[in-house]
Amino acid sequence: MAELEIYSDFICVWCYFAKKDIKRLEKEYAIKIRWRAFPLNPDIKDDGILIEELFADNLTLMTDKMHQLKKTAESLSLPLINLKTISNSRLAQELAKWAEEKGKFEEYQDAIYKAYFAEGLNIGKQDVLLEIVEKCGFSYDEALEIIKTKKFSKAVDEDWQKSEDLVIQSAPSYILNNTKLMGPQSYEKLEELMKKNDIPRRDLL
């Protein structure tokens, strides 16, 4: 089965918005989804950074953009609070690799998105992530060991390096065979990608 690679970051609101279309795409087409970690803001400090601080010179623009994002979220029936802090997502990405190994990536991904975009939690904090993985049914002690040993750090590094090699500059970005789509895409564009690569619909198999 063909594999669609999606480069995303948990702090990327457009990645959050794309989840419904991705689930629909996977349901309608004979495609396997492979999520890749992407460093949207890798230099953010571990405790995160206040949006007011990051966009100090463009607060008006940021306020307008947030208003537009909330309207998009409403159209998708997705919760989106007024974010105050942008988190460092590196540790969340490492735990995502563990969740993938456990066969629970999507459950973990949904929980992270809910915590960040709906509840305003700082997903860069260890205690927040440990609470999230417990809710997903993972062992607290095992998760803590994963964090301490950085067992999946290399896997995230490899994704980051691959995104650099492919010159991916935005999230979400989609790679299928030799075709690359960067940035947010409509469902119609994703369908075009399927057709261009001769990916059959599941109802026609």
Side-chain angles (χ1 to χ4, degrees):
M1 185 180 295
E3 183 175 89
L4 174 65
E5 292 184 302
I6 306 175
Y7 287 81
S8 68
D9 194 339
F10 292 123
I11 60 173
C12 167
V13 68
W14 290 105
C15 298
Y16 172 52
F17 290 165
K19 270 304 295 285
K20 285 189 174 183
D21 279 347
I22 300 307
K23 288 181 178 180
R24 177 184 172 188
L25 193 73
E26 192 173 22
K27 182 179 180 180
E28 295 184 353
Y29 288 88
I31 191 78
K32 179 182 178 182
I33 304 299
R34 177 67 179 272
W35 294 94
R36 297 282 189 185
F38 177 76
L40 190 62
N41 285 295
D43 297 325
I44 289 178
K45 56 188 178 182
D46 291 344
D47 289 337
I49 185 171
L50 291 173
I51 288 181
E52 290 184 355
E53 180 181 345
L54 186 62
F55 297 98
D57 297 329
N58 295 288
L59 284 181
T60 300
L61 180 63
M62 187 60 203
T63 300
D64 290 343
K65 183 177 180 180
M66 192 65 208
H67 179 69
Q68 294 171 4
L69 290 174
K70 286 183 74 69
K71 289 181 66 176
T72 300
E74 289 172 5
S75 72
L76 296 169
S77 299
L78 290 173
L80 179 64
I81 66 163
N82 289 318
L83 294 172
K84 302 296 184 183
T85 303
I86 297 179
S87 298
N88 182 310
S89 60
R90 171 70 194 209
L91 187 54
Q93 290 185 351
E94 292 182 18
L95 286 173
K97 293 296 183 182
W98 177 49
E100 183 178 33
E101 184 179 89
K102 294 283 190 179
K104 287 190 173 184
F105 175 84
E106 284 200 27
E107 182 179 345
Y108 172 83
Q109 184 185 50
D110 288 342
I112 290 288
Y113 281 148
K114 179 182 177 182
Y116 188 62
F117 291 110
E119 300 173 354
L121 300 178
N122 186 344
I123 59 169
K125 289 185 174 294
Q126 178 177 300
D127 58 339
V128 171
L129 290 171
L130 288 172
E131 184 175 340
I132 290 171
V133 296
E134 274 197 299
K135 289 180 179 178
C136 291
F138 297 140
S139 163
Y140 178 98
D141 291 337
E142 188 177 353
L144 186 58
E145 185 67 16
I146 293 295
I147 291 172
K148 288 180 176 179
T149 61
K150 301 189 70 64
K151 180 179 178 180
F152 292 92
S153 180
K154 182 179 178 181
V156 173
D157 284 341
E158 289 173 351
D159 278 1
W160 285 19
Q161 184 59 54
K162 191 171 183 180
S163 71
E164 184 176 334
D165 294 342
L166 291 168
V167 197
I168 292 176
Q169 300 173 334
S170 60
S173 285
Y174 305 85
I175 305 289
L176 179 58
N177 297 326
N178 295 317
T179 308
K180 175 169 59 176
L181 294 178
M182 291 200 296
Q185 304 293 325
S186 67
Y187 189 75
E188 290 71 26
K189 286 291 185 182
L190 294 176
E191 278 200 305
E192 287 180 15
L193 179 63
M194 297 299 103
K195 294 171 183 176
K196 181 178 180 179
N197 286 274
D198 297 320
I199 306 301
R201 290 182 61 91
R202 291 187 186 273
D203 58 4
L204 298 179
L205 292 177

